[in-house]
Amino acid sequence: MALDMTMVMRLLQRKCSSVRELSRLTKELEGIFARNDEVSASLLLQMRQEELGKIDECMEQIWQMGRDDPSVNEKLRWLILADPDDAEGKSFEEKKIFEIRKKTQVLLEELKTSDRQMNKRLSARKSHYKAEVV
């Protein structure tokens, strides 16, 4: 069975869109916490959780594609786990997959920074993050 590269691209793009939405919700959540609006905060936290579920679903679908075929699994592992900054795709689809992964990685780093800052503001000394935010 051959790997459906178009489906991998679609699922990774869907994941990227969910990360983008997660980032938007996080920014909105910062403002809501500043206003001490617990009802809206609870709703946004639930929406964030739904986006995280969508991300998990995308990745589960991708990994399911290689479940029954070791060669497909090996190809998926390379496409999904290789460093997108170092990996070079040969086909258009491979190049596009690494491009999507790079965009997603940038969004995730921005989201982590934002989440870390929000956590530190909310919990002060009891922050779960030990590292300094730059």
Side-chain angles (χ1 to χ4, degrees), residues 100-112:
I100 294 167
R101 287 194 52 227
K102 284 179 192 178
K103 279 194 270 187
T104 304
Q105 200 169 32
V106 168
L107 288 169
L108 281 170
E109 287 304 314
E110 291 171 359
L111 179 61
K112 285 178 191 177

Side-chain angles (χ1 to χ4, degrees), residues 3 5 7-8 11 16 22 25 28 31 45 48 51-54 57 68 72 85 95-96 104 113 117-118 120-121 134:
L3 178 59
M5 298 289 280
M7 181 56 80
V8 174
L11 289 167
C16 186
L22 194 59
L25 291 169
E28 200 171 321
L45 286 170
R48 273 177 44 121
E51 288 303 320
L52 288 169
K54 289 178 186 178
E57 272 181 44
D68 297 329
V72 170
D85 291 325
K95 289 175 184 174
K96 190 69 175 168
T104 304
T113 300
Q117 289 170 344
M118 182 173 51
K120 283 187 174 188
R121 274 194 297 273
V134 179

Side-chain angles (χ1 to χ4, degrees), residues 6-121:
T6 303
M7 181 56 80
V8 174
M9 285 189 308
R10 284 184 186 142
L11 289 167
L12 287 173
Q13 187 59 51
R14 197 175 301 157
K15 176 186 173 184
C16 186
S17 295
S18 287
V19 171
R20 190 175 292 114
E21 178 63 10
L22 194 59
S23 183
R24 186 191 69 75
L25 291 169
T26 300
K27 286 181 175 98
E28 200 171 321
L29 192 58
E30 289 174 353
I32 287 172
F33 280 142
R35 295 190 314 261
N36 293 322
D37 182 351
E38 291 180 27
V39 174
S40 296
S42 177
L43 180 62
L44 276 177
L45 286 170
Q46 183 179 355
M47 291 168 68
R48 273 177 44 121
Q49 188 62 42
E50 289 171 7
E51 288 303 320
L52 288 169
K54 289 178 186 178
I55 291 168
D56 287 344
E57 272 181 44
C58 289
M59 293 311 297
E60 180 61 30
Q61 288 178 16
I62 288 172
W63 292 121
Q64 285 295 322
M65 295 170 79
R67 191 181 85 212
D68 297 329
D69 186 337
S71 64
V72 170
N73 187 34
E74 186 177 328
K75 176 84 171 188
L76 277 172
R77 290 183 63 75
W78 175 68
L79 289 169
I80 302 304
L81 300 177
D83 183 350
D85 291 325
D86 295 336
E88 291 186 29
K90 295 174 184 147
S91 68
F92 167 79
E93 290 89 355
E94 289 175 357
K95 289 175 184 174
K96 190 69 175 168
I97 285 169
F98 288 123
E99 179 184 317
I100 294 167
R101 287 194 52 227
K102 284 179 192 178
K103 279 194 270 187
T104 304
Q105 200 169 32
V106 168
L107 288 169
L108 281 170
E109 287 304 314
E110 291 171 359
L111 179 61
K112 285 178 191 177
T113 300
S114 179
D115 201 48
R116 193 174 289 127
Q117 289 170 344
M118 182 173 51
N119 180 272
K120 283 187 174 188
R121 274 194 297 273

